[in-house]
Amino acid sequence: MNLPISVILRIIVVLVLAFPTLARASETKAEGEQSGGFNVTELLLHHVLDSHDWHIVDIPTGGGKYFTVSVSLPWLLYDSEKGLKFFFLHGHTPEELNASAAEHGYQIDGHGHIASLTGANVVDLSPTKTVLHILMVALVMLLLFTRIASAYKARPNQAPKGAQSFFEPLIVFIRDEIAKPNLHGKHAAFVPYLLTLFFFIWFANIFGIMPLNSNIAGNISVTAALAVLTFVLIQFNGTKDYWGHIFWFPGLPVPLKLLMTVVEIVGLLTKPVALAIRLFANISAGHFMVLALISLIFLLGKQGQSVGGALGILPLSLAFSLFILTLEVLVAIVQAYIFTLLTAVFIGQAMESHDHAEAGH
Amino acid sequence: MEIILPKFGLFFWTLVVFLTVFFLLKKFAWGPILKALNDRETDIENKLRSAAEAEARMKTLTAENEKILQEAQSERAKILKEAGELKAQIIAEAKKEAQAEAAKELANARRVIESEKAAAVAHIKQTAVRLSIEVAEKVLRYELADKTKHEQFATQLVNDIRLN
């Protein structure tokens, strides 16, 4: 397992490109999809939302035609009548997709929601664009950190070298500054989880900044999954005191105890919800900002009809989007840090046992 | 609105992939890495401690060396002092012996001289007696030629005897 990073990256690119139906050449797109021409809202949502194909770029080939570089991804459904279904759909526009889905007995609306024509319950488990990107992040993490681990095994008790020296301070930081102070001496059991969480969010954010039309942690589903794991960890590590505070708050008259139970249960849920929304909002906001700033060029350029307008806004738009992108690099690690830190803090709070009678909270 | 509604598929796959990555990394990456870090930390700690111990040992060793050196020096000084004393004693004894020897020699010499002197005196006395007898004989022989004088002398001798 001594592959250099560049080789790992090449392997990922080859894997992605080997995925079925890569580039659909020369496809006619509905010219100026809406009458107003350029629709910023649609562009932003199209980028930030998950989809069933990885649409990387459209290269104009003249005459209103485009060479579309995209990766079509399969559909995987759990159908209450037919069990698991796995198929590819053809086409790009909602109409084409719907027609293709009809062959399999399904219909798709404009938002990519799939439903059975027979009225059966359908659960969409498709490996979408974001799932593919998560897998890529996972692959990078697995290759990178097993490689670093073997470097530690190869050179025991020696100073770190190469990638080791870059990641060691981060690993030690998470162990000593996030896990140790918050987890009351039981940190050793949680350090691997916190490390995975931190690097997963960070790498996903970095992946989202790269111009690959990727958005991982800007999906509420992704951040919700991570928050649910945090929620489960908090409850599984709750002490008697923790549950006592929730269901029978000590040192209060009974009516207030009942009121506090409601408040505490709300508090129980707000923690993971806040985690999920914070990460999602921060990352998608960054994407929106950059896309909106870039879109200004096309808005003021009126789809190529006003070159002066496009050129006028260009420097400003690029300068601002460069600023936001640079900020996003910082936000990428800061949000990973915050999510990891708060996970450790919440678990630590649930693990606390209060020896003193508390007057109030 | 769609943007803030979680989708089950993505939620499900995120859980699956994340947990898989977590368990794989825990076993194959974080476990070995954290263990290596801990091992290295304890190794460094141990090495620092043993270095401190070695330093302390060196210090006591140096102190001991100094003590040994001082002891050796004082020993040397003692030996030198003793040797000096011994020397003085030997010289003094030798002197005393020499003096005694000299005194004995002197006494011997004196005794020899005394005896030689006594012998010489005796010899002188004998010679004086013989000479005086010879003189007396010669005198007598000369004196006895005259009768009166002879009588006179005899009388005188008798008188002398009386006096004695």
Side-chain angles (χ1 to χ4, degrees):
Chain A
M1 197 77 90
N2 243 339
L3 296 169
I5 300 292
S6 57
V7 175
I8 294 171
L9 288 177
R10 260 173 251 163
I11 291 171
I12 292 167
V13 169
V14 169
L15 282 177
V16 167
L17 296 187
F19 228 78
T21 38
L22 162 68
R24 294 183 306 275
S26 288
E27 196 180 313
T28 313
K29 277 187 93 175
E31 186 66 49
E33 290 173 340
Q34 284 185 8
S35 53
F38 192 69
N39 188 332
V40 180
T41 316
E42 194 174 290
L43 177 111
L44 295 190
L45 288 177
H46 176 72
H47 168 79
V48 168
L49 286 174
D50 198 8
S51 71
H52 285 79
D53 66 338
W54 182 12
H55 195 164
I56 299 167
V57 70
D58 286 333
I59 302 162
T61 51
K65 295 198 169 199
Y66 292 88
F67 181 76
T68 303
V69 180
S70 84
V71 180
S72 285
L73 298 166
W75 290 71
L76 177 68
L77 307 177
Y78 177 75
D79 188 310
S80 59
E81 284 171 5
K82 296 181 233 171
L84 282 178
K85 293 282 284 177
F86 182 84
F87 52 83
F88 281 93
L89 293 182
H90 307 288
H92 188 67
T93 62
E95 294 76 29
E96 285 166 350
L97 286 172
N98 200 21
S100 183
E103 294 167 23
H104 298 276
Y106 297 99
Q107 59 175 359
I108 297 173
D109 68 8
H111 295 300
H113 293 304
I114 196 159
S116 172
L117 289 172
T118 60
N121 280 329
V122 174
V123 182
D124 187 356
L125 292 174
S126 302
T128 55
K129 176 183 93 173
T130 307
V131 174
L132 179 66
H133 292 166
I134 288 172
L135 280 170
M136 286 159 75
V137 168
L139 192 67
V140 168
M141 284 176 78
L142 286 174
L143 290 174
L144 178 67
F145 291 115
T146 49
R147 223 174 129 258
I148 290 175
S150 58
Y152 275 102
K153 278 187 214 156
R155 303 169 65 252
N157 296 343
Q158 285 182 49
K161 233 171 93 178
Q164 249 182 313
S165 352
F166 182 77
F167 286 101
E168 185 176 307
L170 293 166
I171 293 170
V172 171
F173 176 81
I174 289 164
R175 186 192 63 182
D176 293 349
E177 307 300 325
I178 295 182
K180 254 182 206 169
N182 291 310
L183 292 166
H184 313 288
K186 291 176 195 158
H187 62 276
F190 295 96
V191 173
Y193 181 79
L194 296 174
L195 285 170
T196 315
L197 188 64
F198 175 80
F199 286 112
F200 179 78
I201 298 172
W202 186 31
F203 285 8
N205 292 345
I206 294 292
F207 203 81
I209 294 170
M210 291 196 281
L212 294 167
N213 194 15
S214 167
N215 172 35
I216 299 174
N219 273 291
I220 190 84
S221 319
V222 175
T223 60
L226 298 177
V228 162
L229 289 176
T230 297
F231 179 76
V232 170
L233 277 175
I234 295 170
Q235 311 321 322
F236 270 77
N237 290 289
T239 54
K240 228 173 76 186
D241 282 321
Y242 170 73
W243 293 111
H245 270 73
I246 289 172
F247 292 114
W248 208 241
F249 203 94
L252 286 181
V254 174
L256 275 180
K257 276 183 198 284
L258 295 173
L259 182 67
M260 280 310 285
T261 303
V262 177
V263 171
E264 287 284 342
I265 286 173
V266 171
L268 205 75
L269 296 172
T270 49
K271 281 175 189 168
V273 168
L275 274 182
I277 291 176
R278 181 185 297 109
L279 181 56
F280 153 74
N282 269 286
I283 301 307
S284 49
H287 285 245
F288 281 144
M289 291 284 283
V290 172
L291 285 170
L293 285 166
I294 297 289
S295 295
L296 274 181
I297 300 168
F298 298 93
L299 277 178
L300 294 180
K302 296 189 175 116
Q303 288 259 293
Q305 286 158 26
S306 166
V307 178
L311 287 179
I313 197 67
L314 189 79
L316 206 62
S317 173
L318 288 186
F320 272 103
S321 55
L322 178 66
F323 171 71
I324 297 292
L325 271 173
T326 314
L327 199 65
E328 281 304 291
V329 175
L330 193 67
V331 169
I333 195 164
V334 168
Q335 287 304 320
Y337 166 69
I338 289 174
F339 200 108
T340 313
L341 177 70
L342 287 179
T343 297
V345 168
F346 291 155
I347 296 171
Q349 281 174 352
M351 282 161 77
E352 241 168 356
S353 40
H354 306 271
D355 297 324
H356 50 285
E358 276 163 291
H361 246 297
Chain B
M1 196 55 201
E2 204 191 346
I3 192 168
I4 54 161
L5 291 176
K7 281 187 188 160
F8 180 74
L10 184 52
F11 177 84
F12 171 78
W13 286 118
T14 305
L15 278 185
V16 170
V17 176
F18 182 80
L19 286 177
T20 312
V21 169
F22 164 60
F23 285 114
L24 286 175
L25 282 183
K26 188 183 178 187
K27 183 154 170 35
F28 296 110
W30 304 135
I33 289 172
L34 291 168
K35 192 183 163 290
L37 284 175
N38 267 335
D39 287 353
R40 195 170 69 200
E41 275 157 20
T42 42
D43 185 60
I44 289 169
E45 243 166 62
N46 287 341
K47 279 180 179 156
L48 283 177
R49 198 180 313 123
S50 61
E53 275 166 16
E55 206 191 326
R57 241 199 334 267
M58 274 299 289
K59 259 183 201 159
T60 56
L61 223 66
T62 322
E64 249 166 53
N65 282 350
E66 211 130 282
K67 214 176 104 193
I68 289 170
L69 198 69
Q70 268 177 357
E71 270 173 17
Q73 271 171 345
S74 67
E75 190 76 8
R76 190 188 69 166
K78 210 172 98 188
I79 289 169
L80 280 176
K81 205 177 129 209
E82 274 174 12
E85 278 169 7
L86 202 65
K87 186 181 101 181
Q89 198 190 335
I90 288 169
I91 288 170
E93 264 172 28
K95 251 186 200 163
K96 220 164 86 184
E97 243 167 62
Q99 274 173 350
E101 198 66 25
K104 218 168 95 190
E105 286 294 315
L106 210 63
N108 273 349
R110 276 208 189 105
R111 228 176 9 255
V112 169
I113 289 168
E114 282 304 311
S115 65
E116 289 290 318
K117 199 172 125 189
V121 168
H123 184 70
I124 290 170
K125 273 182 183 164
Q126 259 176 1
T127 312
V129 168
R130 191 172 43 84
L131 283 178
S132 45
I133 289 171
E134 276 173 15
V135 169
E137 203 182 272
K138 277 177 185 166
V139 169
L140 281 175
R141 253 181 217 148
Y142 174 75
E143 288 288 322
L144 286 174
D146 185 356
K147 225 159 184 179
T148 54
K149 271 190 186 179
H150 180 72
E151 275 173 8
Q152 222 179 340
F153 184 64
T155 328
Q156 195 188 332
L157 279 175
V158 171
N159 288 346
D160 282 351
I161 290 162
R162 272 188 197 149
L163 280 171
N164 276 343

